Amino acid sequence: MKSDTLNLAAVYTKIIIKSWFQYKVDAVLRSLAVFLREATGILVIYFTLLKFDSLNGWDMYELFFLFSLLFVTYGILIIFFTGLRDFGNTVRTGNFDRYILRPRGLLFQIIFSDADWFAAIGQGGLGIVLFVISAGKVEVVWNITTILYYTFAILGGVLIQGAIFLILATLNIYLIETMSIKELFYFNGKKFAGYPISIFHKAVQFCMVYIVPFAFVNYFPAQYLLQKEDMAYPRVYLYLTPVVGIGMYVMAYVFWRYSIKYYKSSGN
């Protein structure tokens, strides 16, 4: 059964990749467009820091390293969780009813039903570029310990964002349309997360640590590796990204399993 599930996931993935890359030139240009769109914000930071040197003690390369964690985790996230990101449209169009009738797990079908490869390549590629540019400049000693820490931090960051997507997708069962909630709690939060949380008001910091915990996606992992002086939270937070990721995803999954019992078709 496990082998059958893996084979089906592989078939889903192969079909999706073929559909996204059916027109190769268009695929390259659209991926490049995503890369350049996100890189614009990085260029603003670059030219700003040419004049001001640092942002609350974070220099240009340290900020690039902070951003790289955000972009790399999103690049991985969107390969697996595009179906959850776009779940509202699936509910509104009635396509979710088809998933219910199939003899496979609902969440499995949603996760493997689509993958935004353009965002994965564009944002993930930018994250890799920023990492390559900054990793040798930020005085991190790369050894077995730091490499393992970085790997688990990436996985934890993906799970944290995946849990947010799952929670927001579950809300569609009750509210049908949740785009404004998604914009408020995820995409706007992500914009804040590119910067050290120490530059923000305490209320914003509280939200980014305890409500929508983007701080565990990149700020605390970066603090562990960079040891910046603006760290104002218990040091144990530096080690909690995988724990927060697993904990959030389990809670999101429980919320999903409870809520799916109350799903009613949109009638489309």
Side-chain angles (χ1 to χ4, degrees), residues 95-124:
N95 286 332
F96 187 52
D97 297 358
R98 295 189 301 168
Y99 294 164
I100 294 175
L101 297 175
R102 295 170 181 168
R104 288 290 173 181
L106 292 174
L107 198 54
F108 172 87
Q109 293 183 70
I110 294 168
I111 287 176
F112 287 101
S113 65
D114 201 1
D116 188 345
W117 283 97
F118 300 152
I121 294 172
Q123 296 207 32

Side-chain angles (χ1 to χ4, degrees), residues 8 35 38 58 68 75 115 131 157 192 210 215 223:
L8 183 59
F35 181 97
E38 301 299 333
W58 290 68
S68 73
F131 177 80
F192 282 100
Y210 301 109
Q223 279 287 7

Side-chain angles (χ1 to χ4, degrees), residues 162-181:
I164 297 171
F165 272 11
L166 181 53
I167 291 169
L168 293 173
T170 305
L171 290 178
N172 282 109
I173 294 172
Y174 301 100
L175 304 176
I176 306 299
E177 176 57 76
T178 61
M179 181 56 69
S180 58
I181 298 175

Side-chain angles (χ1 to χ4, degrees), residues 152-153 155-157 159-160 163 213 216 236-251:
F152 281 106
L155 295 176
L159 282 177
I160 289 170
F216 289 96
V236 69
Y237 284 20
L238 305 182
Y239 305 93
L240 292 182
T241 294
V243 177
V244 172
I246 294 171
M248 279 190 66
Y249 197 83
V250 169
M251 288 189 293

Side-chain angles (χ1 to χ4, degrees), residues 221-259:
Q223 279 287 7
Y224 173 86
L225 295 166
L226 303 180
Q227 300 293 316
K228 299 298 296 178
E229 295 181 357
D230 65 327
M231 176 65 179
Y233 291 89
R235 287 195 59 80
V236 69
Y237 284 20
L238 305 182
Y239 305 93
L240 292 182
T241 294
V243 177
V244 172
I246 294 171
M248 279 190 66
Y249 197 83
V250 169
M251 288 189 293
Y253 181 71
V254 170
F255 180 44
W256 164 266
R257 288 296 299 268
Y258 170 81
S259 300

